[in-house]
Amino acid sequence: MTTRTQILVRGIVQGVGFRPYVYSLASRRSLKGRVFNNTAGVVIDVEGEARAIEQFVNEIRSNPPPLSQVEAVECSEHLAPADYHDFRIVESAAAGAKFAPISADIATCEDCLRELFDPRDRRYRYPFINCTNCGPRFTIIEGVPYDRARTTMRDFEMCAACRNEYENPLDRRFHAEPIACSACGPRLFLTDTRRRSIALEPSEDAVNRARRLILDGEIVAIKGLGGFHLACDALNVEAVERLRGRKYREDKPFALMAASVEIVREFCFVSEAEEELLLSERRPIALLERKPESGVPDAVAPGVRTLGFMLPYTPLHYLLLDGLGRPLVMTSGNVSDEPICYEDDDAAQRLNEIADYFLLHNRRIRMRADDSVARAQAGAEMVLRRSRGYAPAPIKTAFGFKHQILACGAELKNTFCLARGNHAFVSHHIGDLENLETLRSFTEGIEHFKRLFDIHPEVVAYDLHPEYLSTKHALALDDIGVRIGVQHHHAHIASCMADNGIEGEVIGVAMDGLGFGEDGRFWGGEFFVADFVRAERLAHLDYIPMPGGAKAIREPWRMAAVYLRRALGDDFLNLDLPFTNNLDRRAWAALRRMASAGVNSPETSSIGRLFDAMASLLGLRNAINYEGQAAIELEAIADKSVANGYEFEIADGGIIKAEAVIRCAVDDLLNGRPASEVSAKFHLAVAQLIAAMACDAQNRRRINRVALSGGVFQNMFLLERARRMLAARGFEVFTHSRTPANDGGVSLGQAAVANARLASGRI
Ligand code: ZN
Ligand code: ZN
Ligand code: FE
């Protein structure tokens, strides 16, 4: 019996070869009908034998194309017959008020690679080769539904050969929206700093020439997928140092790109999980432990134990690194802390003093997207910067958002989040909201996401810090009636819960830099009993002044001195330690007065500041050049063979005191114990503290689940030990994987909390 059914497939189903897949499936079963994209997903209008349709639907459910993420298959059955006489793929329909998640950018696939290096193929060495399974998506999309006319590829008219492929349902480039070839598509050109095109020798192409320049020690700015890179030879110390100098980036590690996992292995240890991470189609920068004597100059990543490696993810990268046995530095194309350049004119201006040459192309980048950063921990992926290759794929939530929500996120490593239904669209990495350029990408990004996902926020969630630009932005939105402030660390814990798909009460452990507290002080060493609605603070690190405010963050010696004084009184000045011997007494005297009088000395319970103090006490550094540097270096020296740590004291009211920890560390140093041992004992003290506080909370509240969040949990030495100790005591431990533990995850937590508060009537 013939019947007609309409099927709506939701999820990531556009730009991933879904329609051709449906076409061949329908043809095989002799079904008639139509398939098209609309703003809700892929719509299939199908006619045929009832049994064949049933099998057809089952096949879609159980065996969809590899890059798709099907969330729902909804069928409307027994429709009036339309008497189709064939099966066809038809144009996208802009109708339908819903939204369809769009795909992130996808690394070049195997099939395209084969063609790229096949001299008989018409796209041989064409740097913009792509297909239905790979290529740019998010970074070129201007609107929805996803088709060529709504991407920056609309600048290029397809040639006849490309059009044939594009229109042939059996071709692997059928409706590959960014389809292109050397006859019709984007092209590369190489220029000097005055934007004069470099003449190429007859047999040479721009990529080869750029590569030769890099190997000669030059710095080349390369326009990529989501922005510019600055590239140089990673094994050329002089070039790397020159790049550092010109970029005003003193110590922050540079990312590397290598042609293959084998080459990465020459420099780093690569586990199976890490290999998988490197090879994933999202192609993040993977943080890997470096091998001793690896031959990578210190200037690439000073003072840290890891290197950040990624594999090529565009055809241009593949051509550039083809057969190259050494890694290249591929750092984001920006000056200091500004956002990454993505427009040609902007790059020409801002990178002119840094790069010697520019490798450019004429495909516009619509959305800036930095490289993502991830690591494999305990066999699972843990994303530290969620951007290119990940965004804008939504985080699916176990609960539903009852209202459409905008969450503005934090200040550093900002992301925003737009949420509706079961989807939280966490934005790509925006950056530190401290200059106009970043603020602009924040506000424009929000507008872009609102359009793409058809979200009209009725509620805005924000951090309690009155000075965050994200907070100011939220409070200035006149068109949104409901505003919900969410405490920073509650947002961290909620984000970890949403990441893991859990609800209900948890013991929330927030180990962090700084976050504005409900008492107006800066929190960051907090133990809560929390759910999405509320966070009850059970215990926290004792408050200590930060003399000079923000300066105390940039100069960890200030925190070391105030902690030493608290633990040992003014006598600490007489200790025979390098730290005290080198201490600037006059600067300290001024600082002491300031702290005692409470002038410009905000109080904090942040454990991040205690990590800073410890690093400075051990002589690692008195001032930092990037966020978290002192703590990262403290982790890097920690001796993994040490088994027992110092001990924190817990005073009444859940006040955690660090004095004993400081005193024991000082004793160890005076006794000539190495800094590596002291660092390890400190890390273990924090891990033991977490386990002890969790046991205490469990005794009082009968909660067995612990959520760990906050930037300090990027510290693997701490995270691994805390997790092990908690697991040994029978706790169920939740850590971040899909979202960062740092402030990049805060927007998701804000959205979850705002939603729960609204539902419970507790705003
Ligand atoms: Zn491909
Ligand atoms: Zn073409
Ligand atoms: Fe934070």
Side-chain angles (χ1 to χ4, degrees):
M1 197 190 76
T2 293
T3 175
R4 177 176 163 225
T5 300
Q6 203 167 69
I7 305 158
L8 170 62
V9 189
R10 295 177 186 279
I12 297 184
V13 290
Q14 297 185 6
V16 291
F18 214 94
R19 286 170 304 166
Y21 156 83
V22 167
Y23 176 89
S24 71
L25 211 60
S27 309
R28 249 184 289 142
R29 299 189 185 279
S30 311
L31 296 170
K32 317 280 187 226
R34 303 285 181 264
V35 58
F36 56 92
N37 286 340
N38 76 2
T39 46
V42 168
V43 180
I44 310 160
D45 195 1
V46 66
E47 238 171 8
E49 286 295 313
R51 252 193 73 81
I53 292 181
E54 196 183 312
Q55 288 165 346
F56 173 77
V57 172
N58 284 340
E59 182 76 17
I60 292 171
R61 284 208 170 99
S62 60
N63 201 13
L67 292 175
S68 65
Q69 289 175 33
V70 173
E71 288 177 1
V73 180
E74 296 160 12
C75 298
S76 324
E77 293 169 337
H78 311 302
L79 303 178
D83 295 323
Y84 292 122
H85 54 271
D86 58 2
F87 196 91
R88 248 190 256 169
I89 298 169
V90 292
E91 277 306 299
S92 301
K98 297 289 173 156
F99 67 101
I102 56 179
S103 167
D105 303 273
I106 300 156
T108 310
C109 73
E110 292 295 322
D111 291 331
C112 285
L113 274 184
R114 215 169 300 124
E115 292 176 9
L116 182 65
F117 291 107
D118 178 358
R120 293 158 310 180
D121 193 273
R122 72 183 192 89
R123 290 191 181 84
Y124 177 57
R125 293 189 66 82
Y126 179 58
F128 303 94
I129 186 170
N130 65 77
C131 73
T132 323
N133 289 321
C134 75
R137 298 286 188 275
F138 173 59
T139 52
I140 59 164
I141 290 178
E142 297 176 313
V144 283
Y146 172 59
D147 62 22
R148 190 179 178 97
R150 280 172 282 257
T151 71
T152 60
M153 281 303 293
R154 69 188 160 86
D155 300 352
F156 304 92
E157 192 166 343
M158 277 180 234
C159 68
C162 284
R163 180 160 291 284
N164 273 337
E165 294 169 337
Y166 182 85
E167 287 174 353
N168 176 4
L170 300 175
D171 192 277
R172 68 181 200 85
R173 291 198 171 81
F174 174 71
H175 271 271
E177 309 300 344
I179 191 174
C181 73
S182 52
C184 67
R187 47 183 71 238
L188 273 181
F189 41 102
L190 184 66
T191 75
D192 63 13
T193 51
R194 299 171 69 180
R195 295 189 84 176
R196 286 178 308 211
S197 163
I198 305 274
L200 299 173
E201 287 159 29
S203 63
E204 197 179 42
D205 61 28
V207 187
N208 269 335
R209 181 67 182 276
R211 170 155 114 165
R212 208 148 53 81
L213 290 166
I214 290 170
L215 293 178
D216 284 344
E218 307 283 3
I219 296 167
V220 181
I222 300 174
K223 186 176 178 185
L225 204 50
F228 277 75
H229 280 124
L230 288 160
C232 75
D233 178 357
L235 302 186
N236 182 333
V237 184
E238 192 274 327
V240 176
E241 282 173 353
R242 185 153 31 90
L243 177 54
R244 268 204 189 284
R246 291 188 191 168
K247 226 181 129 150
Y248 299 106
R249 179 152 160 165
E250 282 162 273
D251 293 316
K252 202 171 177 183
F254 283 151
L256 302 172
M257 186 180 275
S260 67
V261 177
E262 288 64 47
I263 295 168
V264 177
R265 271 218 174 85
E266 289 175 30
F267 303 93
C268 291
F269 299 100
V270 184
S271 69
E272 221 169 284
E274 287 164 340
E275 174 165 355
E276 209 176 290
L277 186 60
L278 280 165
L279 288 167
S280 100
E281 78 258 3
R282 300 180 294 278
R283 291 291 153 95
I285 297 168
L287 292 190
L288 305 167
E289 192 180 336
R290 73 206 277 180
K291 290 182 173 169
E293 315 298 321
S294 66
V296 171
D298 268 345
V300 168
V304 298
R305 234 152 135 154
T306 53
L307 290 174
F309 261 108
M310 58 186 154
L311 297 182
Y313 55 83
T314 68
L316 171 55
H317 297 149
Y318 276 103
L319 293 171
L320 188 70
L321 280 97
D322 178 33
L324 193 67
R326 57 206 289 143
L328 300 183
V329 165
M330 289 286 259
T331 183
S332 46
N334 57 3
V335 186
S336 195
D337 293 325
E338 290 174 7
I340 184 171
C341 294
Y342 70 108
E343 289 161 321
D344 296 0
D345 293 340
D346 179 44
Q349 244 176 39
R350 287 202 283 145
L351 303 182
N352 217 34
E353 305 288 310
I354 305 179
D356 301 303
Y357 296 93
F358 286 78
L359 185 58
L360 301 169
H361 62 70
N362 56 349
R363 187 176 71 201
R364 286 179 295 124
I365 299 173
R366 172 61 181 85
M367 256 295 123
R368 178 203 322 265
D370 291 76
D371 291 320
S372 295
V373 181
R375 72 197 313 166
Q377 56 115 24
E381 180 173 354
M382 169 174 153
V383 66
L384 303 175
R385 181 164 77 197
R386 188 179 177 277
S387 204
R388 192 257 313 144
Y390 294 78
I395 307 280
K396 245 199 125 185
T397 52
F399 56 87
F401 288 96
K402 304 209 170 48
H403 302 264
Q404 302 191 8
I405 297 177
L406 163 66
C408 289
E411 174 96 337
L412 298 179
K413 301 183 166 69
N414 175 278
T415 62
F416 58 83
C417 173
L418 281 156
R420 63 181 284 171
N422 284 84
H423 292 113
F425 294 91
V426 178
S427 76
H428 52 301
H429 169 81
I430 302 290
D432 299 346
L433 288 183
E434 44 192 23
N435 55 53
L436 270 179
E437 184 68 4
T438 324
L439 189 63
R440 191 167 66 95
S441 46
F442 171 77
T443 52
E444 287 178 1
I446 292 174
E447 290 311 310
H448 192 55
F449 269 59
K450 277 161 69 175
R451 270 196 309 274
L452 288 186
F453 305 116
D454 193 29
I455 296 181
H456 310 277
E458 309 141 280
V459 180
V460 60
Y462 59 91
D463 194 277
L464 298 181
H465 197 310
E467 293 306 314
Y468 279 5
L469 292 182
S470 53
T471 300
K472 290 182 172 169
H473 177 81
L475 296 177
L477 293 171
D478 301 329
D479 54 332
I480 302 184
V482 185
R483 299 181 184 143
I484 300 179
V486 181
Q487 198 277 322
H488 187 87
H489 300 104
H490 186 199
H492 267 303
I493 301 300
S495 144
C496 180
M497 291 170 63
D499 186 327
N500 285 283
I502 59 168
E503 290 181 89
E505 282 194 327
V506 297
I507 300 166
V509 182
M511 298 283 127
D512 202 22
L514 298 180
F516 203 80
E518 276 156 5
D519 59 1
R521 294 189 249 198
F522 291 106
W523 295 5
E526 317 299 315
F527 292 87
F528 302 101
V529 163
D531 57 21
F532 283 131
V533 177
R534 44 178 273 289
E536 180 192 347
R537 197 182 187 204
L538 294 185
H540 63 88
L541 197 63
D542 197 6
Y543 287 122
I544 194 159
M546 292 196 296
K551 262 203 155 155
I553 302 173
R554 288 193 300 272
E555 298 179 9
W557 72 268
R558 293 172 182 239
M559 294 315 298
V562 290
Y563 264 114
L564 281 167
R565 175 162 185 262
R566 176 165 289 184
L568 299 157
D570 286 320
D571 287 349
F572 89 85
L573 290 167
N574 303 325
L575 294 171
D576 185 20
L577 288 176
F579 176 80
T580 37
N581 292 336
N582 298 331
L583 185 67
D584 179 339
R585 302 292 162 121
R586 276 182 49 195
W588 162 244
L591 219 63
R592 209 200 118 181
R593 276 196 302 277
M594 206 159 134
S596 307
V599 177
N600 192 18
S601 298
E603 296 207 299
T604 185
S605 58
S606 159
I607 202 147
R609 298 290 80 78
L610 182 57
F611 272 82
D612 284 358
M614 199 52 77
S616 179
L617 173 61
L618 295 188
L620 291 174
R621 61 177 48 254
N622 285 332
I624 58 165
N625 297 315
Y626 63 88
E627 196 210 351
Q629 184 180 16
I632 289 168
E633 292 177 356
L634 187 67
E635 178 191 357
I637 64 159
D639 180 347
K640 289 185 173 162
S641 67
V642 174
N644 284 306
Y646 305 128
E647 259 180 63
F648 286 89
E649 282 163 17
I650 319 294
D652 287 349
I655 307 297
I656 300 156
K657 303 217 160 253
E659 284 86 329
V661 170
I662 301 282
R663 279 195 293 267
C664 291
V666 166
D667 283 345
D668 273 348
L669 289 174
L670 291 172
N671 288 329
R673 309 306 306 173
S676 57
E677 180 186 320
V678 177
S679 166
K681 284 178 167 175
F682 170 69
H683 278 84
L684 287 163
V686 178
Q688 285 157 8
L689 171 70
I690 292 168
M693 298 309 295
C695 286
D696 184 52
Q698 186 191 37
N699 285 335
R700 281 157 47 189
R701 301 295 183 88
R702 307 275 145 225
I703 305 170
N704 197 43
R705 302 187 300 177
V706 183
L708 305 178
S709 189
V712 172
F713 285 114
Q714 295 171 100
N715 181 322
M716 298 308 280
F717 191 98
L718 174 66
L719 180 66
E720 280 168 14
R721 279 154 189 80
R723 183 210 297 279
R724 210 180 302 149
M725 287 180 201
L726 287 165
R729 285 160 180 78
F731 287 101
E732 213 183 331
V733 186
F734 297 94
T735 60
H736 284 263
S737 61
R738 296 186 291 170
T739 56
N742 61 46
D743 284 4
V746 163
S747 61
L748 172 64
Q750 290 172 343
V753 170
N755 179 60
R757 290 230 178 113
L758 281 167
S760 73
R762 293 179 52 167
I763 299 177

mmCIF file of all heavy atoms in Angstrom, residues 108-113 130-135 172-173, ligand 1:
data_model
loop_
_atom_site.group_PDB
_atom_site.id
_atom_site.type_symbol
_atom_site.label_atom_id
_atom_site.label_comp_id
_atom_site.label_asym_id
_atom_site.label_seq_id
_atom_site.Cartn_x
_atom_site.Cartn_y
_atom_site.Cartn_z
ATOM 1 N N THR A 108 40.158 18.907 6.487
ATOM 2 C CA THR A 108 40.174 18.261 5.171
ATOM 3 C C THR A 108 40.083 16.743 5.301
ATOM 4 O O THR A 108 40.800 16.134 6.100
ATOM 5 C CB THR A 108 41.488 18.632 4.447
ATOM 6 O OG1 THR A 108 41.638 20.043 4.504
ATOM 7 C CG2 THR A 108 41.456 18.180 2.999
ATOM 8 N N CYS A 109 39.188 16.141 4.509
ATOM 9 C CA CYS A 109 38.955 14.698 4.638
ATOM 10 C C CYS A 109 39.955 13.898 3.781
ATOM 11 O O CYS A 109 40.656 14.452 2.937
ATOM 12 C CB CYS A 109 37.518 14.360 4.245
ATOM 13 S SG CYS A 109 37.221 14.450 2.469
ATOM 14 N N GLU A 110 39.968 12.599 3.990
ATOM 15 C CA GLU A 110 40.887 11.711 3.276
ATOM 16 C C GLU A 110 40.702 11.781 1.755
ATOM 17 O O GLU A 110 41.660 11.803 0.995
ATOM 18 C CB GLU A 110 40.660 10.260 3.725
ATOM 19 C CG GLU A 110 41.076 9.980 5.160
ATOM 20 C CD GLU A 110 42.565 10.141 5.351
ATOM 21 O OE1 GLU A 110 43.328 9.760 4.435
ATOM 22 O OE2 GLU A 110 42.976 10.664 6.412
ATOM 23 N N ASP A 111 39.424 11.796 1.321
ATOM 24 C CA ASP A 111 39.155 11.818 -0.117
ATOM 25 C C ASP A 111 39.722 13.081 -0.762
ATOM 26 O O ASP A 111 40.330 13.033 -1.838
ATOM 27 C CB ASP A 111 37.643 11.746 -0.384
ATOM 28 C CG ASP A 111 37.082 10.376 -0.012
ATOM 29 O OD1 ASP A 111 37.844 9.395 -0.094
ATOM 30 O OD2 ASP A 111 35.899 10.313 0.373
ATOM 31 N N CYS A 112 39.512 14.211 -0.100
ATOM 32 C CA CYS A 112 40.022 15.466 -0.656
ATOM 33 C C CYS A 112 41.546 15.483 -0.648
ATOM 34 O O CYS A 112 42.179 15.982 -1.576
ATOM 35 C CB CYS A 112 39.462 16.656 0.116
ATOM 36 S SG CYS A 112 37.732 16.986 -0.273
ATOM 37 N N LEU A 113 42.143 14.918 0.408
ATOM 38 C CA LEU A 113 43.602 14.863 0.477
ATOM 39 C C LEU A 113 44.180 14.070 -0.689
ATOM 40 O O LEU A 113 45.183 14.458 -1.292
ATOM 41 C CB LEU A 113 44.043 14.189 1.774
ATOM 42 C CG LEU A 113 44.158 15.079 2.991
ATOM 43 C CD1 LEU A 113 44.709 14.287 4.162
ATOM 44 C CD2 LEU A 113 45.061 16.269 2.680
ATOM 45 N N ASN A 130 37.562 21.132 -1.062
ATOM 46 C CA ASN A 130 36.700 20.710 0.044
ATOM 47 C C ASN A 130 35.582 19.856 -0.535
ATOM 48 O O ASN A 130 35.483 19.706 -1.756
ATOM 49 C CB ASN A 130 36.128 21.920 0.787
ATOM 50 C CG ASN A 130 35.194 22.728 -0.084
ATOM 51 O OD1 ASN A 130 34.048 22.352 -0.312
ATOM 52 N ND2 ASN A 130 35.696 23.842 -0.614
ATOM 53 N N CYS A 131 34.751 19.300 0.307
ATOM 54 C CA CYS A 131 33.627 18.504 -0.180
ATOM 55 C C CYS A 131 32.513 18.516 0.847
ATOM 56 O O CYS A 131 32.574 19.262 1.826
ATOM 57 C CB CYS A 131 34.078 17.079 -0.493
ATOM 58 S SG CYS A 131 34.390 16.087 0.975
ATOM 59 N N THR A 132 31.512 17.662 0.625
ATOM 60 C CA THR A 132 30.381 17.608 1.549
ATOM 61 C C THR A 132 30.816 17.193 2.948
ATOM 62 O O THR A 132 30.136 17.464 3.922
ATOM 63 C CB THR A 132 29.353 16.582 1.037
ATOM 64 O OG1 THR A 132 29.328 16.673 -0.379
ATOM 65 C CG2 THR A 132 27.987 16.867 1.565
ATOM 66 N N ASN A 133 31.951 16.523 3.040
ATOM 67 C CA ASN A 133 32.390 16.023 4.339
ATOM 68 C C ASN A 133 33.452 16.867 5.022
ATOM 69 O O ASN A 133 33.900 16.527 6.116
ATOM 70 C CB ASN A 133 32.936 14.599 4.187
ATOM 71 C CG ASN A 133 31.839 13.618 3.901
ATOM 72 O OD1 ASN A 133 30.752 13.723 4.459
ATOM 73 N ND2 ASN A 133 32.101 12.686 3.006
ATOM 74 N N CYS A 134 33.892 17.919 4.370
ATOM 75 C CA CYS A 134 34.968 18.683 4.992
ATOM 76 C C CYS A 134 34.969 20.128 4.496
ATOM 77 O O CYS A 134 34.310 20.449 3.513
ATOM 78 C CB CYS A 134 36.319 18.039 4.720
ATOM 79 S SG CYS A 134 36.954 18.287 3.039
ATOM 80 N N GLY A 135 35.742 20.951 5.173
ATOM 81 C CA GLY A 135 35.918 22.320 4.714
ATOM 82 C C GLY A 135 35.330 23.348 5.660
ATOM 83 O O GLY A 135 34.878 23.033 6.756
ATOM 84 N N ARG A 172 30.286 13.270 -4.831
ATOM 85 C CA ARG A 172 30.584 13.504 -3.417
ATOM 86 C C ARG A 172 30.671 14.999 -3.077
ATOM 87 O O ARG A 172 30.871 15.367 -1.927
ATOM 88 C CB ARG A 172 31.842 12.752 -2.989
ATOM 89 C CG ARG A 172 33.135 13.237 -3.597
ATOM 90 C CD ARG A 172 34.302 12.373 -3.104
ATOM 91 N NE ARG A 172 35.555 13.085 -3.272
ATOM 92 C CZ ARG A 172 36.034 13.945 -2.393
ATOM 93 N NH1 ARG A 172 35.402 14.179 -1.274
ATOM 94 N NH2 ARG A 172 37.163 14.588 -2.614
ATOM 95 N N ARG A 173 30.521 15.840 -4.093
ATOM 96 C CA ARG A 173 30.443 17.269 -3.825
ATOM 97 C C ARG A 173 29.043 17.826 -4.072
ATOM 98 O O ARG A 173 28.854 19.020 -4.217
ATOM 99 C CB ARG A 173 31.458 18.028 -4.685
ATOM 100 C CG ARG A 173 32.871 17.728 -4.249
ATOM 101 C CD ARG A 173 33.862 18.738 -4.755
ATOM 102 N NE ARG A 173 35.134 18.499 -4.119
ATOM 103 C CZ ARG A 173 35.999 17.564 -4.512
ATOM 104 N NH1 ARG A 173 35.730 16.814 -5.552
ATOM 105 N NH2 ARG A 173 37.130 17.397 -3.870
HETATM 106 ZN ZN ZN B 1 36.577 16.465 1.630
#
